[in-house]
Amino acid sequence: MVDLQDQKAFLPRECSLNQHSPSPPQRSVYSHALKAFDGLFHVGDVNPNYIVKSLHAIGRAVCSALEGMTGICANKLSVRPTETDNSADNSIVVSTCLTKNMDAALHPTDVVVPLRVSRRQAGENETMDEQMRDIFRIVNEDPRRTFAYGITVEDAQMSLWYLSRSCCIKSTPFNMTEHPDILVQIFTCLFTATDQQLGYDPLVTLLPDSSYVYELPSGGSRLNPLYYRTVELVSQFHSPDVTGRSSRIWRVIQVTSPSNPTRIPGTSERILKDTSLDVDVPTEAEIQEQLFHDIAAFGRTENWRSQGILKDMRKADIDELAEAFEGENFKRFFSCIIARHLGDPSAGSQNLNTGSANPSGKRRCFFVYELVCTVLHDIPTLGEVVDILKQCVTALRLMFCAGWVHRDVSSGNILAFPSTPQGPWQVKLSDLEFARKYPSPMSSADEPRVGTPYFMACELQTRVPFLPETGHRGRDRVRGPSKPVIHNYQHDLESVWWIFLWLVTMRIGPEPARDFGELFFQQKENPSYAGMRAYLFALPDALYSYERFPRTLPSSLYRPSAFLDQLNTLKIDLYWAYQSLNGSGSQGDRGSYSWIIGEGFSAFFEDIEKTRGDWNSIQMIVRRPLQHVHLHDPSGLSSSRKRNPPIKSSTCNRGTRRLRNITPSKETSASTSPTYSAAPAR
């Protein structure tokens, strides 16, 4: 303070009689006032550019004072001035920042502390979202950030913000003219803080070419740290809730170090996921380990081939499972994590925007995956897509044997990798973050839904099970017993059916059936949309009841006994399997799913194979040229818990394949090891 007085930045209070005090002081007014504010707030409505100019001058004075102090290491931050400060500018809100970049074009990575200045009347109408928008944007756009401070100014009132993935905190506003000592303390702390104290993760380094180097520190079985340099941002998701889920997925190469970011010879490209998770939620790596343990345990079970859960599976399919159990070959069906880092937990708090509590806090995690793959919706031909989806069903059968459900089967989570440039594709089922044992003590009917709306099972969207009916007229019709809808094995299989429908209606060129497809593939959750999808799924001939559809498809897909007919038959089989399952109340018995996961899907693939020559080479619409890239990070979805009216089922003929009666059966537990349940990210 003495140094600022020597610079004449502080004046005794009696020399600053023009200072305006808009509110009664909550503490004693400081004895001195800042010269830069002299007369500024004398009029009621102040141009925000003038306030920024004054804060810039005060910041420079504080920096000058710090430079003259021994033992103090300033970080060279300053308030960036605005491009204009003339009185003709009638800006209501001005956004600037504390940064080291005073003149050049500003990149999000240059912004250290966002600063938002608004007129008094603007601040009165601003929502919490608007006030912290700039802070939230910086946390999302700069991968180095674990948290950020922000400053908002409304007239003479200043507030300090702290925002992380765990909490959002706003200070009590103070009057800068009455308490300039607090303003100087804030600037002093920010101008002398280290990068880590300002919210930068020391494990993420920004390089001059705007790429990043991630460090996975040594620890556990890893004797030396690993370093990965980003090559491409493949995808990212940031929840609109500041304490919600956040993920980035990068294509990376392994390098020597941040100071020597050259590729280590002989290493392959990898995929790195940078994600923020609730502390009390098992990580994807932990889930994958437990899943693989349970699959291997089932494969070691004596006489596993004769277990009741496989009673309706063909010998060829059982032989395929047997081959997968040999030497843990089953891992080739999944996108495997080969390295990880789990960050330290951050403190939990309350989100000021939503009022929701997050007492457990968050932790930042890095996961490295073995292969850079191609997503299903970037596979070039329908024949290749079908082959990959057939392998995906094998992966789901492996999970079924172990007693696990995936809970987010989507086109972005089904990856593929060719063993050779001209070789066949090998499926890699990915994103096990939401996978869990079924049935699970963690499951409940009112838990938030997870998954991708495009491909979510109808029962999960409507919260209403498909139930059988007896009788034929009005009051004679009786619905069977109902149980709460909880994600089960058949819901994963239904997602595969929706993926098939999406691909043939939205991803086949040159004239995709978009009018039809856009009705049923939307990123929304509401009763009318869910009911429309359930109507399509429940009625046997609904696929053929829409104008111009399926005539907009290539004729080879909808001719009699062609691809679309078999897809419709699979839908009917799935629907009748739901009615049998729910009618008997046997959702918790794995043996009740034996027919649909075994014979039901095997017969579908067998039937479409008969016409492969008609559709095998049909070209798909892809988003990018073919390259082996793991793309997409599906988001958990939280939705209303309001139950919708029951969906009326109709009496209809069954598909061309005979559906057996599904009855509960006794089964032998494949494993007695502990289980993990993946709660949806909050």
Side-chain angles (χ1 to χ4, degrees), residues 439-480:
S440 166
M442 298 294 294
S443 301
S444 65
D446 60 349
E447 66 184 357
R449 285 171 287 194
V450 298
T452 306
Y454 273 28
F455 314 115
M456 189 179 293
C458 293
E459 288 190 341
L460 298 175
Q461 283 195 324
T462 64
R463 300 281 194 181
V464 180
F466 291 118
L467 292 170
E469 293 183 353
T470 60
H472 303 282
R473 295 176 302 184
R475 67 189 65 184
D476 297 328
R477 304 181 76 175
V478 180
R479 299 185 66 85

Side-chain angles (χ1 to χ4, degrees), residues 355-518:
S356 60
N358 180 29
S360 62
K362 297 276 189 177
R363 58 178 168 179
R364 190 178 192 182
C365 303
F366 305 150
F367 302 117
V368 179
Y369 298 81
E370 59 176 343
L371 297 171
V372 179
C373 300
T374 300
V375 284
L376 183 71
H377 49 250
D378 281 338
I379 299 298
T381 68
L382 182 57
E384 293 170 294
V385 165
V386 170
D387 293 339
I388 293 167
L389 284 172
K390 185 177 181 180
Q391 294 179 54
C392 176
V393 171
T394 300
L396 293 176
R397 285 170 173 167
L398 288 165
M399 295 183 69
F400 171 69
C401 289
W404 284 73
V405 288
H406 186 281
R407 301 209 305 152
D408 189 18
V409 177
S410 69
S411 67
N413 286 337
I414 300 173
L415 315 178
F417 184 83
S419 54
T420 63
Q422 302 301 322
W425 293 97
Q426 171 62 55
V427 76
K428 295 288 182 180
L429 185 58
S430 72
D431 208 329
L432 297 171
E433 183 175 341
F434 299 119
R436 65 164 51 154
K437 294 282 284 186
Y438 179 82
S440 166
M442 298 294 294
S443 301
S444 65
D446 60 349
E447 66 184 357
R449 285 171 287 194
V450 298
T452 306
Y454 273 28
F455 314 115
M456 189 179 293
C458 293
E459 288 190 341
L460 298 175
Q461 283 195 324
T462 64
R463 300 281 194 181
V464 180
F466 291 118
L467 292 170
E469 293 183 353
T470 60
H472 303 282
R473 295 176 302 184
R475 67 189 65 184
D476 297 328
R477 304 181 76 175
V478 180
R479 299 185 66 85
S482 176
K483 284 187 176 182
V485 175
I486 297 173
H487 197 122
N488 61 44
Y489 306 105
Q490 186 163 330
H491 294 142
D492 283 347
L493 296 172
E494 185 186 332
S495 292
V496 174
W497 183 86
W498 284 106
I499 291 170
F500 264 118
L501 184 65
W502 177 73
L503 289 166
V504 300
T505 59
M506 300 292 288
R507 309 296 286 193
I508 288 181
E511 296 181 4
R514 293 195 179 277
D515 290 344
F516 175 86
E518 288 174 356

Side-chain angles (χ1 to χ4, degrees), residues 577-591:
Y578 276 125
Q579 290 192 312
S580 181
L581 181 74
N582 295 328
S584 63
S586 56
Q587 296 93 330
D589 173 37
R590 273 196 291 170

Side-chain angles (χ1 to χ4, degrees), residues 274-307:
D274 170 4
T275 187
S276 176
L277 301 173
D278 288 345
V279 172
D280 57 356
V281 172
T283 68
E284 184 179 354
E286 293 167 332
I287 292 169
Q288 187 176 98
E289 282 183 354
Q290 188 61 40
L291 170 64
F292 287 173
H293 174 276
D294 291 349
I295 293 175
F298 182 88
R300 293 192 299 268
T301 303
E302 187 176 359
N303 299 323
W304 63 264
R305 290 171 177 262
S306 60
Q307 288 206 21

Side-chain angles (χ1 to χ4, degrees), residues 70-100:
T70 59
I72 299 297
C73 182
N75 53 32
K76 302 188 183 303
L77 287 181
S78 187
V79 176
R80 181 180 169 106
T82 55
E83 295 180 359
T84 177
D85 59 4
N86 60 68
S87 59
D89 184 358
N90 293 319
S91 300
I92 296 178
V93 177
V94 171
S95 294
T96 184
C97 62
L98 274 63
T99 180
K100 299 177 184 178

